[in-house]
Amino acid sequence: MPTPAHADAPDASAGPDPTLARERAHLAASRAALRAMREDAESLDIGDVAANRVAAAALGRRIEKRVEELADREDTPLFFGRLDYEPPADPSETGDFAGERFHVGRRHVHDTSGDPMVVDWRAPVSLPFYRASRRDPLGVALRRRFGHTGGDLTAYEDEHLTDPDRGPEGGRLLQREIERPRVGPMRDIVATIQPEQDRIVRAGLGGTVCVQGGPGTGKTAVGLHRLAYLLYAHRERLARTGTLVVGPNRSFLHYIEQVLPALGELSVRQATVEDLVSHVTIRGTDTPAAAMIKGDARMAAVVRRALFAHVARATEPVVVVRGSRRLRIPAEEVDGLVTELSERGLRYDAGRAALPRRIAHAVLVRMEEAGEAPDDRVQDAVARDRAVKAAVRAVWPAVDPARLVLRLLSDADFLATHARGVLDAHEQRAIVWPRRPRSTRAAPWSPADAVLIDEAMDLVERTPSLGHVVLDEAQDLSPMQYRAVGRRCSTGSATVLGDLAQGTTPWATPSWSQALVHLGKADGVVEELTAGFRVPGDVIAYASRLIPHIAPDLTPVASARVNPGFFEVRATDPASGLTHTVAACREMLAREGSVGLIAADAAVPELAEALAAAGVGHLRPGEPTTPGARLALVPASLAKGLEYDHVVLAEPAAVVEGEPDERTGLRRLYVCLTRAVSGLIVTHARPLPARLDPTDRSGDRPATMGV
């Protein structure tokens, strides 16, 4: 066995643990060194360094950011582990880190001499903390993990990786950290990253990685830690190109927003897909059928056809007057220039901007043939000539993307012309509005319409690309939404996170290979995480009964937790269903940690009233919990991506029936069942869905029934 963890309160008769005392002293010294680093940054005088006021302001902002990054989190120790590298076999030889000792933490800390007191978890020297094993120790003799309460070290546990007599690796501290109650927003997993997760985290910037992971496998945390790693390894490049985290909704983004700052990364933007395409005010909604069609990748071809149909043939020559001369470019020659630009695949506005100079070049050729020697200034003047501008307006007019999409959705003949051979007549009728709005402002835009406008905008003018985008809960995106996100990383890379079994939209992706094609990253690598670190074994086994019916090709999650958790299914009668659900919430609130009451969306108002009548306060999903307010009332549609220490799931059958079809409903139910970290109580007055009935033996194991 590993060296036993030294407890929070050692036996007083044995005296204080000298090893723990030394580690605490090192922590105190490290904190003092970090304060000194911050004071040095605060005291920097840039008065004589910056060349001008603009440069001084930019440098000042960088220093302010550096000072903020050096803040010490008093509730968390600066380091969570230690690596002791083996000494060299031959004293005359030294390896890269042979004989060295490093404390591993969330950020780098050095003393006044520049020697490291804490090394960043992302540094190459820290890699063995996550990857070393007895089979392959990677040069490490001892790996030490620390336990803590608040900001103080309270325990440690050693793994001797090169000593065959010291037992197998693994231990209680790692498991305790994995199973620590979740109170408040999502926290980082930097101290507990597993080898299979670390390989994804440290994947290079050049490639796109898609992570398929069931509930509790840590895919969201892996994606965020990968971004933190990339910002460390490629800081200058990503500082120029930018980074982005895309989540499914505001509650989810609020829940994860503290992870990257805790790792020292403060400048990463977070947004939903709706935020990215917020070019118009959303006033309407689509039927499921219309949303499916508008989200189909075929709509990209329809929008492109409609846009470039504005490029027309020239009907008149271009005549430019230069002094006493009239220089004439025939209409057929103008057509040739337009065709050449069109075939180059340029963005609409890029072609429109290039056409005046092409016409001007043709005019200069006429001038040279007449013996003149025009220069670039003459070409620029000709390109601005009134006749040239008029010709360009006639054959390549400006197009407003929102007006273009408005016409497609409100003019059946215009849509039919450009959707011929792409959408059938039934599909066209499903997406055309019954009346044409007076303006784009008055249009009943839906979320899917905004994505079409974004597509048109990109065809008109290229969308700026970021260096890296993390896309979470990606299984629920439509092909057109994937295209919208892909435009934001067309010259960069992406980390795509999701679970096909949790796809709950009508357009949920059937496979990651298709999703990556729509994203523009067909060469992306798909990785699968199957070890569950969040959901207790009994809970995930119960939820996994649904896998053969919602995602038969996926490997069910296998819980890696030692603590089996608390799980009960409680049947009640309809008259007392609300009372039993509220009682279950009270029972869960008596335990440590956060509590989520999840129910079908339609049942939320009634449950809110019942909680209020019973004097049980509740929060909205994603809202920070406090010691006095730990219960969140969560509509099933918003449960995805969230986690709570304890969950009460009310009326599973209603959750299933709240979706348009049974398969989507069962997927939604799978999501709701797997939000619990420590305990789950399922309450039901109606019969359970057949797949979850304890008498149904199609699952992996029977359910644990409560009284």
Side-chain angles (χ1 to χ4, degrees), residues 422-459:
V422 179
L423 303 179
D424 62 32
H426 177 75
E427 291 173 319
Q428 293 174 33
R429 287 194 298 272
I431 65 174
V432 172
W433 296 330
R435 292 182 300 276
R436 183 167 186 174
R438 295 189 303 273
S439 66
T440 56
R441 285 190 175 184
W445 299 115
S446 70
D449 298 335
V451 179
L452 295 178
I453 294 172
D454 192 71
E455 180 81 24
M457 292 181 69
D458 183 69
L459 290 170

Side-chain angles (χ1 to χ4, degrees), residues 240-441:
R240 293 193 307 271
T241 56
T243 54
L244 172 68
V245 174
V246 181
N249 52 57
R250 282 278 141 208
S251 294
F252 178 85
L253 293 177
H254 183 68
Y255 175 63
I256 69 170
E257 66 184 357
Q258 295 303 316
V259 175
L260 287 168
L263 299 173
E265 303 301 340
L266 308 173
S267 58
V268 179
R269 181 188 169 201
Q270 295 186 345
T272 64
V273 174
E274 288 73 19
D275 294 333
L276 299 182
V277 300
S278 58
H279 312 300
V280 292
T281 301
I282 303 301
R283 303 177 185 277
T285 57
D286 287 312
T287 64
M292 284 278 289
I293 298 165
K294 291 178 181 180
D296 194 296
R298 294 175 297 163
M299 286 300 300
V302 176
V303 174
R304 172 177 280 277
R305 284 182 182 181
L307 173 63
F308 281 92
H310 288 77
V311 179
R313 294 183 61 85
T315 58
E316 297 180 355
V318 179
V319 180
V320 176
V321 178
R322 295 291 297 175
S324 61
R325 300 194 59 206
R326 292 168 59 85
L327 301 163
R328 183 176 182 276
I329 308 300
E332 58 268 21
E333 187 171 346
V334 175
D335 277 340
L337 297 175
V338 170
T339 299
E340 178 192 350
L341 289 172
S342 298
E343 291 176 348
R344 288 181 57 188
L346 299 172
R347 292 299 196 276
Y348 187 89
D349 273 5
R352 186 170 180 272
L355 183 57
R357 293 194 61 82
R358 292 302 181 92
I359 297 174
H361 177 74
V363 171
L364 262 63
V365 170
R366 302 293 195 279
M367 296 174 69
E368 290 170 349
E369 290 173 347
E372 298 184 47
D375 57 17
D376 289 344
R377 289 175 297 177
V378 175
Q379 184 173 2
D380 291 341
V382 172
R384 296 193 299 270
D385 186 88
R386 184 178 302 174
V388 173
K389 287 183 176 180
V392 171
R393 284 196 298 271
V395 300
W396 207 309
V399 176
D400 177 74
R403 289 183 179 275
L404 174 71
V405 175
L406 183 146
R407 188 178 178 191
L408 276 172
L409 297 177
S410 59
D411 185 335
D413 292 338
F414 185 71
L415 175 63
T417 297
H418 302 296
R420 185 175 294 113
V422 179
L423 303 179
D424 62 32
H426 177 75
E427 291 173 319
Q428 293 174 33
R429 287 194 298 272
I431 65 174
V432 172
W433 296 330
R435 292 182 300 276
R436 183 167 186 174
R438 295 189 303 273
S439 66
T440 56
R441 285 190 175 184

